[in-house]
Amino acid sequence: SSRIAFVILRRAFAAPRLDMAARGRAFSNEMQDALKPVASLNDMGTVAMLDRRHASLQSRKSFSERAITPLTAGGLRQSILTLVQTSLGGGVLTLAFAMRLSGLGLGLVLMMVLGLVAFMGMDVMMRGAVQLQAFDTATLLARCVGPWSGPAMDLLLVLYGNGALVAYFILLGDFLPAIVTDLVQMNVISPPQLSAQDLRTRCILSTLIVVVPLSIPRKLSALRYASPIALISILYFSTTVLTNAPELILAHLGQPEYGEIQWFNVDRNFFKSFSILLFAFNCHLNVVPVCSELTDPSDYRITKICRRVAIVEVVFYTLIAAGGYLSFLAVTDQNILRNYGTSTAVTLCRILLSFTILVGIPTNLLPTVRSFKGFIENLTGAAKTPPMEAPLLPTESTTNGAVDTATTSSEVFRLLLTAFCLAAEVVVAIAVPNVADVMGFLGASVGTILMMVLPLTVLVKTRPKDYSTARVWLTGLLLLTSSLTAFTALVVM
């Protein structure tokens, strides 16, 4: 900014010998030189984006060209898919059950409100991360309220991340035995000589064959080619629910065991429904990590990412929740797929959702382990090196092939924490079979802090520059009201 001011002042007091056209050309050239950055300041591209702005405008591609080009690390589509992958996990299977608890009308209202809350929270957190130069969630909170809060947030993220992953393994313990049963009934395989519990245990353990290799990369962008699986599977799942809904509604509506359509159930079950839906919208565990890897983190691109993620969630969640509830009404199960019989379509749906969860586990495990590592480093007094403080160019030692001992030790430590978390999650998932209870508790506890309390804190600290006063108050009021409702749900449950 000082260079730009110097150029403007010098041109303002320049001798009037040059004609206006010449002065304009000289001024333009000097301004371009002043705007050209000397070097990139950090991984978030805060200054580097100035150097790319002109080139990006010149080479702007059409929508069709952008849609078919490969995903790029830190790109718009990769960021959207990562956040969608984070939220579109096992939570989609409990949406119809949440609709049954609250009633169809009230459930749809909750869906819209929580979609708006999710958008506001993501937008505020990403803008705050850029403004405060925070590369992880704990650092973002620490720069808002003080260093003491960083370790506390790391601990909460560890609890929430591991709890969510336990829920994912529980769902795999439901899906994979059901797939085996479907294949037996289709005469594809012979019946396994195992009890139901032994089959479930072995299925959960077998998932580690896929999960462990996917958990090795250090960055979320390394999983960008696996992320589209979530959209494909959720699209097929919603299509399956909707195509079967008309026939099931006609068959079940008016039957005594299925009951009638409930529109508004205002009782203690409302809070459980709120918590389950809250968990389904929560992708905030990865919001700051995604922002730290985002190329050109401008306000426009951040809002576009958050808006598209929220729209995808609301559209698919509404279709699945409404279609699933109307199909089975009062007998809607916590896992909606249990209500469907054996068929090729349902079996394929289970297989695709299993792949979604298998990819979702490392997607959520990476920030969980990062927070776990940060928590331990804070306790032991070890210094954390933010990504933006790492050297931007290879040093002499790296070009000569030397290995940084500190980096190697840190990576080994991260892998050991990853193994520890996976082992603990698998043990708990084998022992606990009820997924809706886990999701409801997580949504009402740590999920509330991630989705509402943290964004509210960032909003008060930073106040995004293009937010009007009315928008600041509306965002703050909605986040505060939702937080109070979620904490009430935690007490009631």
Side-chain angles (χ1 to χ4, degrees), residues 79 194 250 262 432:
S79 302
L194 297 170
L250 293 176
Q262 301 296 318
V432 179

Side-chain angles (χ1 to χ4, degrees), residues 156-235:
L156 288 176
L157 292 175
V158 170
L159 295 176
Y160 178 82
N162 282 290
L165 293 170
V166 167
Y168 284 177
F169 278 112
I170 292 174
L171 287 171
L172 289 173
D174 289 341
F175 286 162
L176 298 181
I179 292 172
V180 172
T181 302
D182 292 347
L183 295 177
V184 169
Q185 294 180 0
M186 296 176 185
N187 296 321
V188 177
I189 61 174
S190 58
Q193 303 301 316
L194 297 170
S195 64
Q197 181 60 34
D198 289 340
L199 178 61
R200 180 177 182 272
T201 300
R202 294 193 181 189
C203 286
I204 292 176
L205 292 174
S206 66
T207 61
L208 296 176
I209 299 174
V210 177
V211 169
V212 170
L214 291 178
S215 302
I216 294 176
R218 298 178 62 245
K219 289 190 175 183
L220 290 169
S221 56
L223 302 173
R224 61 185 179 274
Y225 294 112
S227 297
I229 295 176
L231 283 179
I232 295 173
S233 61
I234 208 68
L235 179 61

Side-chain angles (χ1 to χ4, degrees), residues 9 155 158 492:
L9 290 174
L155 179 60
V158 170
V492 170

Side-chain angles (χ1 to χ4, degrees), residues 292-352:
S292 68
E293 298 179 16
L294 179 63
T295 303
D296 188 7
S298 62
D299 291 344
Y300 173 75
R301 286 169 64 84
I302 286 174
T303 300
K304 181 185 288 189
I305 291 171
C306 299
R307 182 172 58 245
R308 291 183 179 180
V309 171
I311 290 174
V312 169
E313 290 175 339
V314 169
V315 170
F316 282 110
Y317 287 176
T318 301
L319 295 175
I320 293 170
Y325 168 68
L326 291 174
S327 298
F328 301 103
L329 299 175
V331 300
T332 304
D333 195 88
Q334 290 187 9
N335 180 351
I336 186 63
L337 285 180
R338 290 178 182 171
N339 290 114
Y340 294 93
T342 302
S343 67
T344 304
V346 174
T347 301
L348 181 58
C349 194
R350 290 191 176 103
I351 293 173
L352 288 174

Side-chain angles (χ1 to χ4, degrees), residues 25-351:
R25 288 193 298 270
F27 181 81
S28 177
N29 293 333
E30 292 179 1
M31 283 296 294
Q32 288 179 4
D33 292 336
L35 285 172
K36 191 173 183 179
V38 177
S40 301
L41 290 184
N42 53 53
D43 289 344
M44 302 175 75
T46 304
V47 173
M49 71 177 185
L50 295 176
D51 198 28
R52 294 191 300 267
R53 180 74 65 181
H54 181 71
S56 62
L57 291 175
Q58 294 292 330
S59 59
R60 187 170 182 83
K61 300 177 181 178
S62 65
F63 173 78
S64 59
E65 291 174 333
R66 297 196 305 270
I68 63 176
T69 53
L71 295 174
T72 56
L76 197 70
R77 291 173 299 153
Q78 185 262 323
S79 302
I80 293 171
L81 288 174
T82 299
L83 292 176
V84 168
Q85 173 71 59
T86 304
S87 60
L88 291 182
V92 298
L93 301 172
T94 58
L95 294 174
F97 178 72
M99 197 72 71
R100 166 192 156 187
L101 295 177
S102 63
L104 182 61
L106 185 56
L108 292 176
V109 172
L110 287 177
M111 198 81 70
M112 301 300 173
V113 171
L114 288 175
L116 182 59
V117 169
F119 164 73
M120 289 179 171
M122 288 186 290
D123 191 63
V124 170
M125 286 178 65
M126 281 194 175
R127 291 169 183 252
V130 174
Q131 183 175 337
L132 300 176
Q133 293 293 282
F135 62 93
D136 59 34
T137 309
T139 303
L140 178 61
L141 180 62
R143 293 184 178 175
C144 289
V145 300
W148 63 269
S149 61
M153 175 54 69
D154 275 329
L155 179 60
L156 288 176
L157 292 175
V158 170
L159 295 176
Y160 178 82
N162 282 290
L165 293 170
V166 167
Y168 284 177
F169 278 112
I170 292 174
L171 287 171
L172 289 173
D174 289 341
F175 286 162
L176 298 181
I179 292 172
V180 172
T181 302
D182 292 347
L183 295 177
V184 169
Q185 294 180 0
M186 296 176 185
N187 296 321
V188 177
I189 61 174
S190 58
Q193 303 301 316
L194 297 170
S195 64
Q197 181 60 34
D198 289 340
L199 178 61
R200 180 177 182 272
T201 300
R202 294 193 181 189
C203 286
I204 292 176
L205 292 174
S206 66
T207 61
L208 296 176
I209 299 174
V210 177
V211 169
V212 170
L214 291 178
S215 302
I216 294 176
R218 298 178 62 245
K219 289 190 175 183
L220 290 169
S221 56
L223 302 173
R224 61 185 179 274
Y225 294 112
S227 297
I229 295 176
L231 283 179
I232 295 173
S233 61
I234 208 68
L235 179 61
Y236 182 80
F237 177 47
S238 59
T239 302
T240 302
V241 170
L242 293 176
T243 53
N244 285 280
E247 180 181 354
L248 292 173
I249 292 172
L250 293 176
H252 298 157
L253 193 61
Q255 297 296 322
E257 62 270 26
Y258 291 94
E260 299 294 332
I261 299 175
Q262 301 296 318
W263 290 96
F264 292 91
N265 293 331
V266 184
D267 54 20
R268 61 184 297 123
N269 285 327
F270 162 81
F271 295 103
K272 187 172 185 179
S273 174
F274 182 89
S275 301
I276 293 173
L277 294 176
L278 180 65
F279 178 86
F281 277 99
N282 198 334
C283 61
H284 296 55
L285 183 67
N286 272 327
V287 165
V288 179
V290 164
C291 185
S292 68
E293 298 179 16
L294 179 63
T295 303
D296 188 7
S298 62
D299 291 344
Y300 173 75
R301 286 169 64 84
I302 286 174
T303 300
K304 181 185 288 189
I305 291 171
C306 299
R307 182 172 58 245
R308 291 183 179 180
V309 171
I311 290 174
V312 169
E313 290 175 339
V314 169
V315 170
F316 282 110
Y317 287 176
T318 301
L319 295 175
I320 293 170
Y325 168 68
L326 291 174
S327 298
F328 301 103
L329 299 175
V331 300
T332 304
D333 195 88
Q334 290 187 9
N335 180 351
I336 186 63
L337 285 180
R338 290 178 182 171
N339 290 114
Y340 294 93
T342 302
S343 67
T344 304
V346 174
T347 301
L348 181 58
C349 194
R350 290 191 176 103
I351 293 173

Side-chain angles (χ1 to χ4, degrees), residues 387-405:
M388 62 280 294
E389 294 181 8
L392 293 171
L393 297 176
T395 61
E396 184 178 355
S397 61
T398 58
T399 55
N400 292 332
V403 179
D404 188 344
T405 305

Side-chain angles (χ1 to χ4, degrees), residues 444-479:
S445 55
V446 187
T448 302
I449 297 175
L450 282 175
M451 278 189 67
M452 303 166 197
V453 177
L454 178 57
L456 185 59
T457 305
V458 176
L459 178 68
V460 173
K461 174 68 176 180
T462 62
R463 179 168 177 168
K465 58 185 179 181
D466 60 341
Y467 274 32
S468 64
T469 302
R471 184 174 178 180
V472 170
W473 278 99
L474 177 62
T475 303
L477 182 62
L478 188 57
L479 292 174

